[in-house]
Coordinates of all heavy atoms in Angstrom, one line a residue:
M1 N 18.8 14.9 86.9 CA 17.6 15.4 86.1 C 17.6 14.6 84.7 O 16.6 14.1 84.2 CB 17.6 16.9 85.8 CG 16.4 17.3 85.3 SD 15.1 17.5 86.3 CE 14.3 19.0 85.8
A2 N 18.8 14.6 84.1 CA 18.8 13.9 82.8 C 18.6 12.4 82.9 O 18.0 11.8 82.0 CB 20.2 14.2 82.2
G3 N 18.9 11.8 84.1 CA 18.7 10.4 84.3 C 17.3 10.2 84.4 O 16.7 9.1 83.8
A4 N 16.5 11.0 85.0 CA 15.0 10.8 85.2 C 14.4 10.9 83.8 O 13.5 10.2 83.4 CB 14.4 11.9 86.1
A5 N 14.9 11.8 83.0 CA 14.2 12.1 81.7 C 14.6 10.8 80.7 O 13.7 10.5 80.1 CB 14.8 13.3 81.0
A6 N 15.7 10.2 81.0 CA 15.9 9.1 80.3 C 15.1 7.9 80.7 O 14.7 7.0 79.8 CB 17.5 8.7 80.3
V7 N 14.7 7.8 81.9 CA 13.9 6.6 82.4 C 12.5 6.9 81.9 O 11.9 5.9 81.4 CB 13.9 6.7 84.0 CG1 12.9 5.7 84.5 CG2 15.3 6.3 84.6
V8 N 12.0 8.1 81.8 CA 10.7 8.3 81.3 C 10.6 8.0 79.8 O 9.7 7.4 79.3 CB 10.3 9.8 81.6 CG1 8.9 10.1 80.9 CG2 10.1 10.0 83.2
A9 N 11.8 8.4 79.0 CA 11.8 8.3 77.7 C 11.7 6.7 77.3 O 11.1 6.2 76.4 CB 12.9 8.8 77.1
R10 N 12.5 6.0 78.3 CA 12.6 4.5 78.0 C 11.2 3.9 78.2 O 10.7 3.1 77.6 CB 13.6 3.9 78.9 CG 14.1 2.5 78.6 CD 15.2 2.0 79.4 NE 15.4 2.7 80.6 CZ 16.5 3.4 80.8 NH1 17.6 3.5 80.0 NH2 16.8 4.1 82.1
A11 N 10.5 4.3 79.3 CA 9.2 3.8 79.6 C 8.3 4.1 78.5 O 7.4 3.3 78.0 CB 8.7 4.4 80.8
R12 N 8.3 5.4 78.0 CA 7.4 5.8 76.8 C 7.6 4.9 75.6 O 6.7 4.4 75.1 CB 7.7 7.3 76.5 CG 6.8 7.7 75.4 CD 7.0 9.3 75.1 NE 8.2 9.8 75.3 CZ 8.8 10.5 76.2 NH1 8.0 10.8 77.2 NH2 10.0 11.0 76.2
H13 N 8.9 4.7 75.3 CA 9.2 3.7 74.1 C 8.8 2.4 74.3 O 8.2 1.7 73.6 CB 10.7 3.9 74.0 CG 11.1 3.0 72.8 ND1 11.0 3.2 71.5 CD2 11.7 1.7 72.9 CE1 11.5 2.2 70.8 NE2 11.9 1.4 71.5
K14 N 9.0 1.9 75.7 CA 8.7 0.5 75.8 C 7.1 0.2 75.8 O 6.6 -0.7 75.2 CB 9.1 0.1 77.3 CG 8.9 -1.4 77.6 CD 9.6 -1.9 78.9 CE 9.2 -3.4 79.0 NZ 9.9 -3.9 80.2
V15 N 6.4 1.3 76.3 CA 5.0 1.0 76.3 C 4.4 1.1 74.9 O 3.6 0.2 74.6 CB 4.2 2.2 77.2 CG1 2.7 2.1 77.0 CG2 4.5 1.9 78.7
I16 N 4.8 2.1 74.1 CA 4.3 2.1 72.7 C 4.7 1.0 71.9 O 4.0 0.5 71.1 CB 4.7 3.6 72.2 CG1 4.0 4.7 72.9 CG2 4.3 3.5 70.6 CD1 2.4 4.6 72.8
S17 N 6.0 0.6 72.1 CA 6.5 -0.5 71.4 C 5.8 -1.8 71.6 O 5.6 -2.6 70.7 CB 8.0 -0.6 71.6 OG 8.7 0.5 71.1
F18 N 5.4 -2.0 72.8 CA 4.8 -3.2 73.2 C 3.4 -3.2 72.4 O 3.1 -4.2 71.8 CB 4.3 -3.2 74.7 CG 3.4 -4.3 75.2 CD1 4.1 -5.6 75.3 CD2 2.1 -4.0 75.3 CE1 3.2 -6.6 75.7 CE2 1.3 -5.1 75.6 CZ 1.9 -6.5 75.8
F19 N 2.6 -2.3 72.4 CA 1.3 -2.3 71.6 C 1.6 -2.4 70.1 O 0.8 -3.1 69.4 CB 0.5 -1.0 72.1 CG 0.0 -1.1 73.4 CD1 0.6 -0.6 74.5 CD2 -1.3 -1.8 73.5 CE1 0.1 -0.7 75.7 CE2 -1.7 -1.9 74.9 CZ -1.0 -1.5 75.9
M20 N 2.7 -1.8 69.7 CA 2.9 -1.7 68.2 C 3.4 -3.4 67.8 O 2.8 -3.8 66.8 CB 4.0 -0.8 67.8 CG 3.4 0.6 67.6 SD 4.8 1.7 67.1 CE 3.6 3.1 66.9
T21 N 4.2 -3.8 68.7 CA 4.7 -5.2 68.3 C 3.5 -6.3 68.5 O 3.6 -7.2 67.7 CB 6.0 -5.6 69.0 OG1 5.6 -5.6 70.5 CG2 7.1 -4.8 68.8
Q22 N 2.6 -5.9 69.3 CA 1.5 -6.9 69.4 C 0.4 -6.7 68.5 O -0.6 -7.3 68.3 CB 0.9 -6.6 70.9 CG 1.8 -7.0 72.0 CD 2.2 -8.5 72.0 OE1 1.3 -9.4 71.7 NE2 3.4 -8.9 72.2
N23 N 0.6 -5.6 67.5 CA -0.3 -5.1 66.4 C -1.7 -4.8 67.2 O -2.8 -5.1 66.6 CB -0.4 -6.2 65.3 CG -1.1 -5.6 64.2 OD1 -1.0 -4.5 63.9 ND2 -1.9 -6.3 63.5
A24 N -1.7 -4.3 68.4 CA -2.8 -3.9 69.1 C -3.2 -2.4 68.8 O -3.1 -1.5 69.5 CB -2.6 -4.0 70.6
V25 N -3.9 -2.4 67.5 CA -4.2 -1.1 67.0 C -5.7 -1.1 66.8 O -6.1 -0.1 66.1 CB -3.4 -0.8 65.7 CG1 -1.9 -0.6 66.0 CG2 -3.7 -1.9 64.6
S26 N -6.4 -1.9 67.2 CA -7.9 -1.8 67.1 C -8.5 -2.6 68.3 O -7.8 -3.3 68.9 CB -8.5 -2.5 65.7 OG -8.0 -3.8 65.8
A27 N -9.8 -2.4 68.6 CA -10.5 -2.9 69.7 C -10.4 -4.5 69.7 O -10.2 -5.1 70.8 CB -11.9 -2.5 69.8
D28 N -10.5 -5.1 68.6 CA -10.5 -6.5 68.5 C -9.1 -7.0 68.6 O -8.9 -8.3 68.8 CB -11.1 -7.1 67.2 CG -10.5 -6.5 65.9 OD1 -10.0 -5.3 65.9 OD2 -10.2 -7.3 65.0
R29 N -8.2 -6.3 68.6 CA -6.7 -6.7 68.7 C -6.1 -6.2 70.2 O -4.9 -6.3 70.3 CB -5.8 -6.1 67.6 CG -6.2 -6.6 66.3 CD -5.7 -7.8 65.7 NE -4.3 -7.9 66.2 CZ -3.7 -9.0 65.8 NH1 -4.3 -10.1 65.1 NH2 -2.4 -9.2 66.1
A30 N -7.0 -5.7 71.0 CA -6.6 -5.1 72.3 C -5.9 -6.3 73.1 O -6.1 -7.4 73.1 CB -7.8 -4.7 73.0
V31 N -4.8 -5.8 73.9 CA -4.0 -6.6 74.8 C -3.9 -6.0 76.1 O -4.1 -4.8 76.3 CB -2.7 -6.9 74.1 CG1 -2.7 -7.6 72.9 CG2 -1.8 -5.7 74.0
A32 N -3.5 -6.9 77.1 CA -3.3 -6.4 78.4 C -1.8 -5.9 78.6 O -0.8 -6.6 77.9 CB -3.6 -7.6 79.4
F33 N -1.5 -4.9 79.3 CA -0.1 -4.5 79.4 C 0.2 -4.7 81.0 O -0.4 -4.1 81.8 CB 0.1 -3.1 79.0 CG 1.4 -2.6 79.3 CD1 2.5 -2.8 78.3 CD2 1.8 -1.8 80.4 CE1 3.8 -2.5 78.5 CE2 3.1 -1.4 80.6 CZ 4.0 -1.8 79.7
V34 N 1.1 -5.5 81.2 CA 1.4 -5.8 82.7 C 2.8 -5.4 82.9 O 3.8 -5.9 82.2 CB 1.2 -7.3 83.1 CG1 1.7 -7.5 84.5 CG2 -0.2 -7.7 82.9
S35 N 3.2 -4.6 83.9 CA 4.5 -4.2 84.1 C 4.7 -4.0 85.7 O 3.9 -3.6 86.4 CB 4.9 -2.8 83.5 OG 6.2 -2.4 83.8
N36 N 5.9 -4.4 86.2 CA 6.2 -4.2 87.5 C 6.8 -2.9 87.8 O 7.0 -2.6 88.9 CB 7.2 -5.3 88.0 CG 6.6 -6.7 88.0 OD1 5.3 -6.9 88.1 ND2 7.3 -7.7 87.8
R37 N 7.2 -2.1 86.8 CA 7.7 -0.9 86.9 C 6.7 0.3 87.1 O 5.9 0.5 86.2 CB 8.7 -0.6 85.8 CG 9.7 -1.6 85.7 CD 10.9 -1.2 84.8 NE 11.6 -0.2 85.2 CZ 12.3 0.8 84.6 NH1 12.3 0.6 83.2 NH2 12.9 1.7 85.1
L38 N 7.0 1.0 88.0 CA 6.0 2.1 88.4 C 5.9 3.1 87.3 O 4.8 3.6 86.8 CB 6.3 2.8 89.8 CG 5.4 4.0 90.1 CD1 4.0 3.5 90.3 CD2 5.8 4.5 91.4
V39 N 7.0 3.4 86.8 CA 7.3 4.4 85.7 C 6.4 4.0 84.4 O 5.8 4.9 83.7 CB 8.6 4.9 85.3 CG1 9.4 3.8 84.7 CG2 8.7 6.1 84.5
E40 N 6.3 2.8 84.1 CA 5.7 2.2 83.0 C 4.2 2.2 83.1 O 3.5 2.6 82.4 CB 6.2 0.8 82.6 CG 7.6 0.9 81.9 CD 8.2 -0.6 81.8 OE1 7.4 -1.6 82.2 OE2 9.4 -0.6 81.5
R41 N 3.9 1.9 84.5 CA 2.4 1.9 84.7 C 1.8 3.4 84.7 O 0.8 3.7 84.1 CB 2.1 1.3 86.1 CG 2.4 -0.2 86.0 CD 1.8 -0.9 87.2 NE 2.0 -0.2 88.6 CZ 3.2 -0.7 89.2 NH1 3.9 -1.6 88.8 NH2 3.4 -0.1 90.4
R42 N 2.7 4.3 85.1 CA 2.3 5.7 85.0 C 2.3 6.2 83.6 O 1.3 7.1 83.3 CB 3.2 6.7 85.9 CG 3.0 6.5 87.3 CD 3.8 7.4 88.1 NE 3.5 7.4 89.5 CZ 4.3 7.9 90.6 NH1 5.2 8.7 90.1 NH2 3.9 7.8 91.7
M43 N 3.2 5.8 82.8 CA 3.2 6.3 81.4 C 2.0 5.6 80.7 O 1.2 6.3 79.9 CB 4.4 5.7 80.7 CG 4.6 6.2 79.4 SD 4.6 8.0 79.1 CE 6.0 8.4 80.2
L44 N 1.5 4.4 81.0 CA 0.3 3.8 80.6 C -0.9 4.7 80.9 O -1.7 5.0 80.0 CB 0.1 2.4 81.0 CG -1.1 1.7 80.5 CD1 -0.9 1.0 79.3 CD2 -1.6 0.7 81.6
D45 N -1.0 5.1 82.2 CA -2.1 5.9 82.6 C -2.0 7.3 81.9 O -3.1 7.8 81.5 CB -1.9 6.3 84.1 CG -2.2 5.0 85.0 OD1 -2.8 4.1 84.4 OD2 -1.7 5.0 86.1
R46 N -0.8 7.8 81.6 CA -0.7 9.2 80.8 C -1.3 8.9 79.4 O -2.0 9.9 78.8 CB 0.6 9.6 80.8 CG 1.0 10.3 82.0 CD 2.5 10.9 81.7 NE 3.1 11.2 83.0 CZ 4.3 11.7 83.1 NH1 5.2 11.7 82.1 NH2 4.9 11.9 84.3
F47 N -0.9 7.9 78.8 CA -1.5 7.6 77.4 C -2.9 7.4 77.4 O -3.5 7.8 76.5 CB -0.6 6.4 76.9 CG 0.8 6.7 76.4 CD1 1.7 5.7 76.5 CD2 1.2 8.0 76.0 CE1 3.0 6.0 76.2 CE2 2.5 8.2 75.5 CZ 3.4 7.2 75.7
V48 N -3.5 6.8 78.5 CA -5.0 6.5 78.6 C -5.6 8.0 78.6 O -6.6 8.2 77.9 CB -5.3 5.7 79.6 CG1 -6.9 5.6 79.8 CG2 -4.8 4.2 79.4
E49 N -5.0 8.8 79.5 CA -5.6 10.1 79.7 C -5.6 10.9 78.5 O -6.5 11.7 78.1 CB -4.8 10.9 80.8 CG -5.1 10.4 82.2 CD -4.4 11.3 83.2 OE1 -3.9 12.4 82.7 OE2 -4.2 10.7 84.3
A50 N -4.5 10.8 77.7 CA -4.3 11.5 76.4 C -5.1 10.8 75.2 O -5.0 11.3 74.2 CB -2.9 11.5 76.1
K51 N -5.8 9.8 75.5 CA -6.6 9.0 74.5 C -5.6 8.3 73.4 O -6.1 8.1 72.4 CB -7.6 9.8 73.9 CG -8.6 10.2 74.9 CD -9.7 11.0 74.4 CE -10.8 11.4 75.3 NZ -10.7 11.6 76.7
V52 N -4.4 8.2 73.7 CA -3.4 7.4 72.8 C -3.5 5.9 72.9 O -3.7 5.2 72.0 CB -2.1 7.8 73.2 CG1 -0.9 6.9 72.4 CG2 -1.8 9.3 73.0
L53 N -3.9 5.5 74.1 CA -4.3 4.2 74.6 C -5.7 4.1 74.8 O -6.2 4.9 75.7 CB -3.4 3.5 75.6 CG -1.9 3.3 75.1 CD1 -1.1 2.8 76.3 CD2 -1.7 2.3 74.0
V54 N -6.5 3.2 74.2 CA -7.9 3.2 74.4 C -8.3 2.0 75.3 O -7.9 0.8 74.9 CB -8.7 3.1 73.2 CG1 -10.1 3.1 73.3 CG2 -8.3 4.2 72.2
P55 N -8.8 2.1 76.5 CA -9.2 0.9 77.2 C -10.5 0.1 76.6 O -11.4 0.9 76.1 CB -9.6 1.4 78.5 CG -9.9 2.9 78.3 CD -9.1 3.3 77.1
V56 N -10.4 -1.2 76.7 CA -11.4 -2.0 76.1 C -12.2 -2.7 77.1 O -13.2 -3.3 77.0 CB -11.0 -2.9 74.9 CG1 -12.1 -3.7 74.4 CG2 -10.2 -2.1 73.9
G57 N -11.6 -2.8 78.3 CA -12.3 -3.7 79.4 C -11.3 -4.9 79.7 O -10.4 -5.1 79.0
D58 N -11.5 -5.4 80.8 CA -10.7 -6.4 81.3 C -9.2 -6.0 81.4 O -8.3 -6.9 80.9 CB -10.8 -7.7 80.5 CG -12.2 -8.3 80.5 OD1 -12.9 -8.1 81.6 OD2 -12.6 -8.9 79.5
D59 N -8.9 -4.8 81.6 CA -7.6 -4.2 81.6 C -6.8 -4.5 80.3 O -5.6 -4.7 80.2 CB -6.7 -4.9 82.7 CG -7.2 -4.4 84.0 OD1 -7.6 -3.3 84.1 OD2 -7.1 -5.2 85.0
R60 N -7.6 -4.3 79.2 CA -6.9 -4.5 77.9 C -7.0 -3.2 77.2 O -7.9 -2.3 77.4 CB -7.7 -5.6 77.0 CG -7.5 -7.0 77.6 CD -8.2 -7.9 76.8 NE -9.5 -7.5 76.2 CZ -9.9 -7.8 75.0 NH1 -9.2 -8.7 74.1 NH2 -11.0 -7.3 74.5
F61 N -6.1 -2.9 76.2 CA -5.9 -1.6 75.7 C -5.4 -1.6 74.2 O -4.9 -2.8 73.9 CB -4.9 -0.7 76.3 CG -5.1 -0.4 77.8 CD1 -4.6 -1.5 78.8 CD2 -5.8 0.6 78.2 CE1 -4.7 -1.2 80.0 CE2 -6.1 0.8 79.6 CZ -5.6 -0.1 80.5
Y62 N -5.7 -0.7 73.4 CA -5.2 -0.7 72.1 C -4.7 0.6 71.7 O -5.0 1.6 72.4 CB -6.2 -1.2 71.0 CG -7.2 -0.2 70.8 CD1 -7.2 0.7 69.7 CD2 -8.5 -0.4 71.3 CE1 -8.3 1.6 69.4 CE2 -9.6 0.5 71.0 CZ -9.5 1.4 70.0 OH -10.5 2.2 69.8
L63 N -3.8 0.7 70.8 CA -3.1 2.0 70.3 C -3.9 2.6 69.2 O -4.2 1.9 68.2 CB -1.7 1.7 70.0 CG -0.9 2.9 69.5 CD1 -0.6 3.8 70.6 CD2 0.4 2.3 68.7
D64 N -4.3 3.9 69.6 CA -5.1 4.7 68.6 C -3.8 5.4 67.8 O -3.3 6.4 68.3 CB -5.9 5.6 69.3 CG -6.7 6.6 68.2 OD1 -6.3 6.6 67.0 OD2 -7.7 7.1 68.6
V65 N -3.5 4.8 66.7 CA -2.4 5.4 65.8 C -2.3 6.7 65.5 O -1.5 7.5 65.7 CB -2.0 4.4 64.7 CG1 -0.9 4.9 63.9 CG2 -1.7 3.1 65.1
P66 N -3.5 7.3 64.9 CA -3.6 8.6 64.6 C -3.5 9.6 65.9 O -2.8 10.6 65.9 CB -5.0 8.9 64.0 CG -5.4 7.6 63.4 CD -4.7 6.5 64.5
A67 N -3.9 9.2 67.1 CA -3.8 9.9 68.3 C -2.3 9.9 68.7 O -1.8 10.8 69.2 CB -4.7 9.3 69.3
W68 N -1.7 8.7 68.5 CA -0.3 8.7 68.9 C 0.6 9.5 68.1 O 1.4 10.2 68.6 CB 0.3 7.3 68.8 CG 1.8 7.2 68.8 CD1 2.6 6.7 67.8 CD2 2.6 7.5 69.9 NE1 3.9 6.8 68.2 CE2 3.9 7.3 69.4 CE3 2.4 8.1 71.2 CZ2 5.1 7.5 70.2 CZ3 3.6 8.2 72.0 CH2 4.8 8.1 71.5
D69 N 0.2 9.7 66.7 CA 1.0 10.5 65.8 C 0.8 12.0 66.3 O 1.8 12.7 66.3 CB 0.5 10.4 64.4 CG 1.0 8.9 63.8 OD1 1.9 8.4 64.4 OD2 0.4 8.5 62.8
A70 N -0.5 12.4 66.5 CA -0.6 13.7 67.0 C 0.0 14.1 68.3 O 0.7 15.1 68.5 CB -2.2 14.0 67.1
Y71 N 0.0 13.1 69.3 CA 0.7 13.3 70.5 C 2.2 13.4 70.4 O 2.9 14.3 71.0 CB 0.4 12.1 71.5 CG 1.0 12.1 72.8 CD1 0.3 12.6 73.8 CD2 2.3 11.5 73.0 CE1 0.9 12.5 75.2 CE2 2.9 11.5 74.2 CZ 2.1 12.0 75.4 OH 2.7 12.0 76.6
A72 N 2.8 12.5 69.6 CA 4.2 12.7 69.3 C 4.6 13.9 68.6 O 5.6 14.6 68.9 CB 4.7 11.5 68.5
K73 N 3.8 14.3 67.7 CA 4.1 15.6 67.0 C 4.0 16.8 67.9 O 4.9 17.6 67.8 CB 3.1 15.8 65.8 CG 3.3 17.0 65.0 CD 2.3 17.1 63.8 CE 2.5 18.5 63.0 NZ 1.5 18.4 61.9
T74 N 2.9 16.8 68.7 CA 2.9 17.8 69.7 C 4.0 18.0 70.7 O 4.5 19.0 71.1 CB 1.5 17.8 70.4 OG1 0.5 17.9 69.6 CG2 1.4 18.8 71.6
R75 N 4.4 16.7 71.1 CA 5.6 16.6 72.0 C 6.8 17.1 71.4 O 7.6 17.9 72.0 CB 5.6 15.2 72.5 CG 6.6 15.1 73.7 CD 6.7 13.6 74.1 NE 7.9 13.5 74.8 CZ 9.1 13.4 74.3 NH1 9.3 13.4 73.1 NH2 10.2 13.4 75.1
R76 N 7.0 16.8 70.1 CA 8.3 17.2 69.5 C 8.2 18.8 69.3 O 9.3 19.3 69.6 CB 8.4 16.6 68.1 CG 9.0 15.2 68.1 CD 9.3 14.7 66.7 NE 8.1 14.7 65.9 CZ 7.3 13.7 65.8 NH1 7.5 12.5 66.5 NH2 6.2 13.7 64.9
R77 N 7.1 19.3 69.1 CA 7.0 20.7 69.0 C 7.2 21.3 70.2 O 8.0 22.4 70.2 CB 5.5 21.1 68.4 CG 5.5 22.6 68.1 CD 4.1 23.0 67.5 NE 3.6 22.1 66.5 CZ 2.3 21.4 66.7 NH1 1.7 21.6 67.7 NH2 2.0 20.8 65.7
R78 N 6.7 20.9 71.3 CA 7.0 21.6 72.6 C 8.5 21.4 73.0 O 9.1 22.5 73.5 CB 6.2 20.8 73.7 CG 4.8 21.5 73.9 CD 4.0 20.7 75.0 NE 3.7 19.3 74.6 CZ 3.7 18.3 75.3 NH1 3.9 18.5 76.6 NH2 3.3 17.1 74.8
V79 N 9.1 20.4 72.7 CA 10.6 20.1 72.9 C 11.4 21.2 72.2 O 12.3 21.7 72.6 CB 11.1 18.8 72.7 CG1 12.6 18.6 72.7 CG2 10.4 17.8 73.8
G80 N 10.9 21.4 70.8 CA 11.6 22.2 69.9 C 11.5 23.7 70.4 O 12.6 24.4 70.4
L81 N 10.4 24.0 70.9 CA 10.2 25.5 71.3 C 11.0 25.6 72.6 O 11.5 26.6 72.9 CB 8.6 25.7 71.7 CG 7.8 25.8 70.5 CD1 6.3 25.9 70.9 CD2 8.2 27.0 69.7
F82 N 11.1 24.6 73.5 CA 11.8 24.7 74.8 C 13.3 24.9 74.5 O 14.0 25.8 75.0 CB 11.5 23.5 75.7 CG 12.4 23.6 76.9 CD1 12.1 24.3 78.0 CD2 13.5 22.7 77.0 CE1 13.0 24.5 79.0 CE2 14.4 22.7 78.0 CZ 14.0 23.6 79.1
M83 N 13.8 24.0 73.4 CA 15.2 24.2 73.1 C 15.5 25.4 72.5 O 16.6 26.0 72.8 CB 15.6 23.0 72.2 CG 15.4 21.6 72.9 SD 16.2 21.4 74.4 CE 18.1 21.3 73.7
G84 N 14.5 26.0 71.7 CA 14.7 27.3 71.0 C 14.9 28.4 72.1 O 15.7 29.4 72.1
A85 N 13.9 28.3 73.1 CA 13.9 29.4 74.1 C 15.2 29.2 75.0 O 15.8 30.3 75.3 CB 12.6 29.2 75.0
L86 N 15.6 28.0 75.2 CA 16.8 27.8 76.0 C 18.1 28.5 75.3 O 18.9 29.1 76.0 CB 17.2 26.4 76.2 CG 18.2 25.9 77.3 CD1 18.0 26.6 78.6 CD2 18.3 24.5 77.3
A87 N 18.2 28.3 73.9 CA 19.2 28.8 73.2 C 19.2 30.3 73.2 O 20.2 30.9 73.2 CB 19.2 28.2 71.7
A88 N 18.0 30.9 73.0 CA 17.9 32.4 73.1 C 18.3 32.9 74.4 O 19.0 33.9 74.5 CB 16.4 32.8 72.7
A89 N 17.9 32.2 75.5 CA 18.3 32.6 76.8 C 19.8 32.6 77.0 O 20.5 33.5 77.5 CB 17.6 31.9 77.9
G90 N 20.4 31.5 76.4 CA 21.8 31.4 76.5 C 22.6 32.6 75.7 O 23.6 33.0 76.1
A91 N 22.0 32.8 74.5 CA 22.6 33.9 73.7 C 22.4 35.2 74.4 O 23.4 36.1 74.4 CB 22.0 33.9 72.3
A92 N 21.4 35.4 74.9 CA 21.2 36.8 75.7 C 22.1 36.9 76.9 O 22.7 38.0 77.2 CB 19.7 36.9 76.2
A93 N 22.4 35.8 77.6 CA 23.4 35.7 78.7 C 24.7 36.0 78.2 O 25.4 36.8 78.8 CB 23.2 34.4 79.4
V94 N 25.1 35.4 77.1 CA 26.4 35.7 76.6 C 26.5 37.2 76.1 O 27.6 37.7 76.4 CB 26.6 34.7 75.4 CG1 27.9 35.1 74.6 CG2 26.7 33.4 75.8
A95 N 25.5 37.6 75.5 CA 25.5 39.0 75.1 C 25.7 40.1 76.2 O 26.4 41.0 76.1 CB 24.2 39.5 74.2
L96 N 25.1 39.7 77.4 CA 25.1 40.7 78.6 C 26.4 40.5 79.2 O 26.9 41.5 79.7 CB 23.9 40.3 79.5 CG 22.7 40.7 79.2 CD1 21.7 40.0 80.3 CD2 22.4 42.0 79.1
L97 N 27.1 39.4 79.2 CA 28.4 39.2 79.8 C 29.5 39.8 78.9 O 30.6 40.0 79.4 CB 28.7 37.8 80.2 CG 27.7 37.2 81.1 CD1 27.9 35.7 81.4 CD2 27.9 37.9 82.5
A98 N 29.3 39.9 77.6 CA 30.3 40.4 76.8 C 30.6 41.8 76.7 O 29.9 42.7 77.2 CB 30.1 39.8 75.3

C-alpha cells in the first residue's frame, strides 16, 4: 500500500513540476505533456478534472496556480484530518487494552 502511495506522489510531483519548470502558467504558455507511464497520464486527467490543469487544445495544458494552491491546501488538510483520526483510534485502542 505504501509503495502505491509513493508511486502516486511521485507522479503528482512530476506532472506539476513539469508545468512549473516549463513556466506553463497561462494559456499563451501552454505545453503538451507526454508520458508513457499510465499513473502520470491518470494524474494529468485528475488535475484536469480538478481544474488545476487547463486544456487549451491540441493536447496542450497550462497550470492554474491559484487552483493548484487551493488543491494542495485541501489535500494537506484531508491528510491531516486522516492522520489525526488514525492517532485518536490508536489512542482509543491502547486505552481499551490497558
Side-chain angles (χ1 to χ4, degrees):
M1 187 79 144
V7 169
V8 171
R10 190 174 22 242
R12 181 175 36 256
H13 176 75
K14 184 171 181 179
V15 171
I16 294 300
S17 292
F18 174 80
F19 288 95
M20 286 187 172
T21 58
Q22 297 293 319
N23 198 27
V25 294
S26 63
D28 60 319
R29 304 276 312 180
V31 295
F33 180 80
V34 179
S35 176
N36 294 331
R37 300 192 65 207
L38 179 62
V39 68
E40 290 172 3
R41 291 194 310 266
R42 285 188 178 166
M43 190 57 59
L44 178 87
D45 292 340
R46 283 186 192 172
F47 285 145
V48 170
E49 284 179 26
K51 296 182 176 33
V52 169
L53 293 176
V54 181
V56 179
D58 299 331
D59 291 329
R60 296 178 329 141
F61 305 89
Y62 72 89
L63 177 68
D64 183 342
V65 176
W68 166 245
D69 289 340
Y71 179 91
K73 182 178 180 181
T74 300
R75 191 179 161 283
R76 280 191 300 271
R77 187 178 314 124
R78 277 184 284 148
V79 169
L81 289 173
F82 175 76
M83 295 304 286
L86 189 61
V94 168
L96 286 174
L97 294 175

